[in-house]
Amino acid sequence: MKLLEILAEHQSRNQLLSQQEPFFSLEFVTPKNNIKRLLKSIELLSKIEPANIDFASTTTTTCEDQILISYETQMIRGCETVYQLSWPNKTKKQISDELDQTKKIGIQNIVIRKSILSKEETLQMELQNESEIIQFIRNLYGDYFCIIIEGDINLFKCEKDFLMLKKTVNFGADLLRTLPFFDIKRFLEYREKCRKYGINCPIIPMIFPIIDYVSITKVIEYNNIPIPEKMMKKMEKLKNEPEPFLEYGINFTIKICKTLFNKYRVRGFHFITLNQEEPIKQILQRLDLIQSSRIRRKLPWRKSTNPKRKDEIVRPIFWAHRPISYTLLTSHWERYPQYSWFQLDEEKPTYGELNDKILKEIHKCKTSINDLGVKLVSEKDIQHVFLKYIQGKIRSIPWKEERLDLENMMIQQKLERLVNYGLLIINSQPRINSISSEDLRVGFGGPGGYIFQKRYLEFFISPEIVEDLAGDLAKTSNLVYYAVNHDGSRVVTNNKKKHVTTITWGIFSGEIIQSTVVDPYTFHRAWRKEAFALWTSQWGDRYQEGSNSQKIIQNIHNTYFLMNIVDNDFIHSSSYTKTNVWSVLDNFFRNYKKKIESNN
């Protein structure tokens, strides 16, 4: 989607809600090495719904590097990507080939970025200035691309400069983005003169957070950015104190953004991240831009921006926390469900195999060995890891690479209780009955809607109790379950016909959006393989070959069942009825404990 369209959607949402919330975008640096670490940062920051993500190149970055990271971000991780086109040292053929590749991977936004060239290189340029490159792009691609140009506010001094900028914009530039600045007055003067000379496109300030002394002084020197004297003295004073320097820098950056937003009606910011997600998260959090990220989402899960998938609105819940592998497993599909999963139900969708490419993707973000337990003595240690995750004491487990979200905090105590019973919870959601789509915990799809959810639980369960538990669940008509072992040879279920169940949906102005389902066929055919593979590939392989810790993991993989339960009663709360899944499970484990005690 074009950035102009994204900003228009953002403005419409603000008007509908009678509020003002700034949009923001993020810029990373494409490293020559350690792309894996960069992708992890992107994955973390994409959850807070930036308008777009850019990748700045370095002297060692190749066009192939830029295309690769843009593909990963745009097509697989579902983040709108702005492709940075460095053009002066390239021929028209090279530029068109590069833009053909960006178009092929679904990118519709490009920023024209200048390069520093020698006089000899400048004389050899086929395209002499930004006006010519923009005209060249428009002639080849029409209005397919949203074109962004950059302006150094310190270089524009006279009428001639602004008239040249106006000419460039008139050739087809859609947005203007400044280079970094630290003096608000300079930005305001620049914006005012742009408007005076008829440059009316959106002007987005580039914000360079002051994270550490070395990086900020390098940027200042390289770009010749004027620094207020008071700020320079403060930085010099704190340059040998990393933590106070960082705190000063974060506060300074927040002050700039708040002043521009509250006093001067600036509605968007482009942040340079330096590939460091934590300082940026702190800044966005203090600007109140993270808390509302959930209700900015169109769907509860992040989809690919592949044009083929633009109308996709429904997925199985199993990959709710692992969208990358789902995108890869279904990348060969010719069509994706636009209204209901039942569009695919009759033809039984086929999924890609867990080949080397997909395994490489799902193994990229390994959970810390400190979180998983340095040494395992018994299966109780495994249970303790899952409990610590539910309690928020560790950051992730292989099936969920981020902390417990606000939605599942609503049922946190219930989940803790189930883990103490021995159920290894990997996915869940609470019952929701007509809650506003603007709710910070479960909202999605924009304002004016209502969200509904059925209770859902997914866990690994010991083979000793799976049959007995299934017997108790089968006595309650609103509970549907499906359990399968690692190779699919044993199945325990009361859903014999393998009916698909919708478990999350929203109602918006009479339109019903079905967003997540439980599909037994998909659970058995595809998700089972990935869920069990994570035991060995992201947990068992962390230990020495043949060690007791590895044997414990392997035994769980070989013997346990993967089970899901859907509670179809989304109307009644857990305090209202004893037939909900929580009550049935509590009752089962109380009786099971008594049975064990009496046998002993």
Side-chain angles (χ1 to χ4, degrees):
M1 181 183 287
K2 293 182 183 179
L3 187 52
L4 278 179
E5 296 170 346
I6 295 172
L7 302 188
E9 281 189 359
H10 177 84
Q11 185 177 0
S12 297
R13 178 180 175 274
N14 277 347
Q15 290 173 348
L16 192 58
L17 294 177
S18 299
Q19 68 178 39
Q20 287 298 323
E21 178 185 88
F23 64 86
F24 62 94
S25 55
L26 305 173
E27 182 170 315
F28 297 86
V29 176
T30 306
K32 185 64 179 175
N33 301 307
N34 207 3
I35 293 288
K36 174 182 171 182
R37 177 69 185 86
L38 174 57
L39 289 171
K40 181 64 176 177
S41 295
I42 293 166
E43 206 158 323
L44 290 170
L45 289 173
S46 68
K47 304 296 189 300
I48 58 180
E49 300 296 322
N52 64 268
I53 288 176
D54 285 27
F55 297 100
S57 60
T58 65
T59 53
T60 60
T61 306
T62 65
C63 173
E64 289 73 22
D65 293 331
Q66 289 289 87
I67 294 292
L68 173 63
I69 194 69
S70 297
Y71 169 80
E72 289 273 357
T73 305
Q74 180 87 7
M75 299 287 270
I76 298 178
R77 282 158 177 80
C79 301
E80 288 295 340
T81 304
V82 173
Y83 187 81
Q84 295 200 0
L85 179 67
S86 298
W87 57 274
N89 58 340
K90 296 174 183 174
T91 65
K92 291 180 180 179
K93 178 68 166 56
Q94 288 174 321
I95 292 171
S96 62
D97 287 347
E98 198 168 335
L99 291 177
D100 284 345
Q101 290 184 69
T102 64
K103 185 177 180 181
K104 186 177 179 180
I105 59 177
I107 291 176
Q108 284 193 276
N109 303 288
I110 55 175
V111 59
I112 307 299
R113 176 149 285 185
K114 295 180 179 178
S115 301
I116 298 176
L117 303 177
S118 65
K119 289 184 179 180
E120 184 179 331
E121 288 173 320
T122 303
L123 292 173
Q124 296 174 358
M125 288 165 50
E126 286 192 34
L127 298 165
Q128 293 295 313
N129 52 50
E130 288 179 325
S131 295
E132 289 188 15
I133 179 66
I134 292 171
Q135 192 173 21
F136 174 72
I137 293 170
R138 290 298 183 211
N139 287 339
L140 282 180
Y141 302 97
D143 65 351
Y144 175 82
F145 289 110
C146 175
I147 299 177
I148 304 161
I149 57 173
E150 294 182 330
D152 186 342
I153 63 176
N154 301 302
L155 296 181
F156 287 80
K157 302 183 183 301
C158 62
E159 181 179 12
K160 180 182 177 182
D161 296 330
F162 285 95
L163 290 176
M164 182 64 71
L165 179 60
K166 181 181 179 180
K167 179 182 176 182
T168 303
V169 171
N170 288 344
F171 269 110
D174 297 296
L175 291 104
L176 174 59
R177 201 159 66 188
T178 74
L179 292 182
F181 60 89
F182 301 102
D183 187 340
I184 289 178
K185 288 183 180 179
R186 285 181 177 269
F187 169 78
L188 295 174
E189 289 171 1
Y190 174 80
R191 188 177 71 166
E192 183 181 347
K193 287 182 179 179
C194 281
R195 299 306 185 224
K196 176 184 175 181
Y197 289 102
I199 302 167
N200 296 316
C201 64
I203 300 174
I204 303 172
M206 183 182 288
I207 305 297
F208 192 99
I210 303 169
I211 294 174
D212 64 78
Y213 182 80
V214 174
S215 64
I216 194 67
T217 49
K218 282 183 179 179
V219 169
I220 290 168
E221 290 172 9
Y222 183 81
N223 294 285
N224 196 27
I225 304 172
I227 299 293
E229 184 179 352
K230 184 178 179 182
M231 172 187 168
M232 197 68 220
K233 287 181 178 179
K234 188 68 174 181
M235 290 198 306
E236 288 291 335
K237 182 180 178 180
L238 298 173
K239 66 180 181 180
N240 296 318
E241 302 178 64
E243 290 186 12
F245 188 96
L246 176 61
E247 183 63 22
Y248 166 74
I250 288 174
N251 289 333
F252 183 87
T253 305
I254 290 169
K255 183 179 179 181
I256 284 182
C257 294
K258 283 188 172 180
T259 301
L260 289 172
F261 179 74
N262 294 328
K263 193 172 181 180
Y264 299 106
R265 299 180 59 79
V266 173
R267 292 295 173 249
F269 305 97
H270 180 71
F271 290 97
I272 306 297
T273 68
L274 295 179
N275 296 7
Q276 297 187 48
E277 67 267 10
E278 282 306 318
I280 293 296
K281 282 176 69 177
Q282 287 188 50
I283 291 167
L284 295 174
Q285 193 161 20
R286 294 193 206 177
L287 289 170
D288 294 327
L289 292 176
I290 288 183
Q291 190 178 20
S292 61
S293 62
R294 171 125 194 162
I295 60 174
R296 290 199 297 272
R297 300 189 304 172
K298 294 181 179 179
L299 293 162
W301 38 266
R302 179 176 293 280
K303 70 177 180 179
S304 167
T305 52
N306 186 328
K308 286 201 312 181
R309 306 183 81 127
K310 66 178 181 178
D311 296 321
E312 179 187 18
I313 64 166
V314 57
R315 284 184 181 179
I317 193 173
F318 321 128
W319 287 277
H321 301 283
R322 300 186 61 78
I324 296 173
S325 57
Y326 180 80
T327 300
L328 292 168
L329 287 168
T330 60
S331 61
H332 63 286
W333 288 8
E334 292 300 321
R335 68 188 185 98
Y336 298 88
Q338 299 177 18
Y339 306 103
S340 164
W341 187 257
F342 299 102
Q343 289 176 276
L344 301 178
D345 187 32
E346 291 182 3
E347 60 193 57
K348 296 300 180 189
T350 59
Y351 295 88
E353 292 297 325
L354 288 176
N355 54 35
D356 289 343
K357 178 183 177 182
I358 294 176
L359 284 171
K360 185 179 178 181
E361 285 292 339
I362 70 175
H363 295 174
K364 273 183 179 176
C365 303
K366 288 192 174 183
T367 301
S368 165
I369 188 63
N370 293 323
D371 286 347
L372 296 175
V374 176
K375 184 179 180 181
L376 304 175
V377 177
S378 69
E379 289 184 5
K380 275 287 185 183
D381 293 327
I382 301 290
Q383 183 180 326
H384 190 54
V385 171
F386 279 84
L387 183 61
K388 288 197 294 182
Y389 174 75
I390 297 296
Q391 293 172 336
K393 295 179 180 178
I394 61 175
R395 292 165 294 181
S396 65
I397 53 177
W399 301 267
K400 300 182 78 170
E401 294 171 352
E402 55 193 55
R403 294 185 184 276
L404 198 70
D405 55 27
L406 291 175
E407 178 180 4
N408 279 289
M409 285 182 183
M410 297 167 66
I411 53 174
Q412 187 176 28
Q413 292 183 340
K414 292 181 174 67
L415 295 176
E416 285 182 32
R417 197 161 66 242
L418 296 185
V419 174
N420 281 321
Y421 291 149
L423 303 183
L424 307 179
I425 306 286
I426 63 170
N427 204 349
S428 57
Q429 72 175 29
R431 175 198 71 94
I432 300 297
N433 183 19
S434 190
I435 286 184
S436 169
S437 60
E438 298 164 41
D439 185 88
L440 294 179
R441 300 163 300 175
V442 299
F444 69 88
Y450 296 91
I451 305 301
F452 298 81
Q453 288 185 173
K454 296 176 182 178
R455 297 182 188 92
Y456 177 76
L457 287 171
E458 185 180 334
F459 48 84
F460 290 98
I461 181 173
S462 167
E464 285 79 19
I465 61 173
V466 66
E467 295 278 2
D468 290 340
L469 175 58
D472 271 26
L473 294 171
K475 297 174 186 177
T476 306
S477 60
N478 54 287
L479 302 180
V480 178
Y481 60 86
Y482 194 100
V484 60
N485 66 341
H486 75 101
D487 61 5
S489 60
R490 293 182 61 196
V491 174
V492 181
T493 183
N494 63 346
N495 190 357
K496 301 298 183 182
K497 295 184 178 180
K498 296 187 177 180
H499 288 308
V500 176
T501 304
T502 302
I503 59 170
T504 305
W505 64 100
I507 298 179
F508 299 87
S509 301
E511 178 187 16
I512 298 176
I513 296 177
Q514 177 194 119
S515 60
T516 54
V517 298
V518 171
D519 177 7
Y521 173 83
T522 294
F523 184 77
H524 185 109
R525 173 68 179 81
W527 172 242
R528 164 185 58 85
K529 297 178 183 179
E530 182 172 337
F532 276 102
L534 292 172
W535 278 109
T536 53
S537 66
Q538 288 202 31
W539 201 334
D541 72 345
R542 317 303 290 278
Y543 303 107
Q544 185 177 349
E545 187 72 27
S547 65
N548 185 58
S549 296
Q550 192 180 71
K551 288 177 181 177
I552 290 170
I553 296 294
Q554 193 65 49
N555 182 63
I556 290 177
H557 171 274
N558 293 346
T559 63
Y560 271 49
F561 280 71
L562 177 65
M563 188 173 198
N564 72 62
I565 305 173
V566 177
D567 186 343
N568 285 300
D569 185 358
F570 63 91
I571 301 296
H572 299 114
S573 68
S574 57
S575 60
Y576 186 88
T577 174
K578 293 184 178 181
T579 62
N580 68 76
V581 66
W582 310 117
S583 299
V584 172
L585 288 172
D586 283 338
N587 188 56
F588 169 80
F589 282 105
R590 276 196 299 267
N591 292 334
Y592 185 77
K593 183 179 180 182
K594 290 178 183 178
K595 180 181 176 181
I596 296 296
E597 290 174 349
S598 63
N599 289 338
N600 292 335

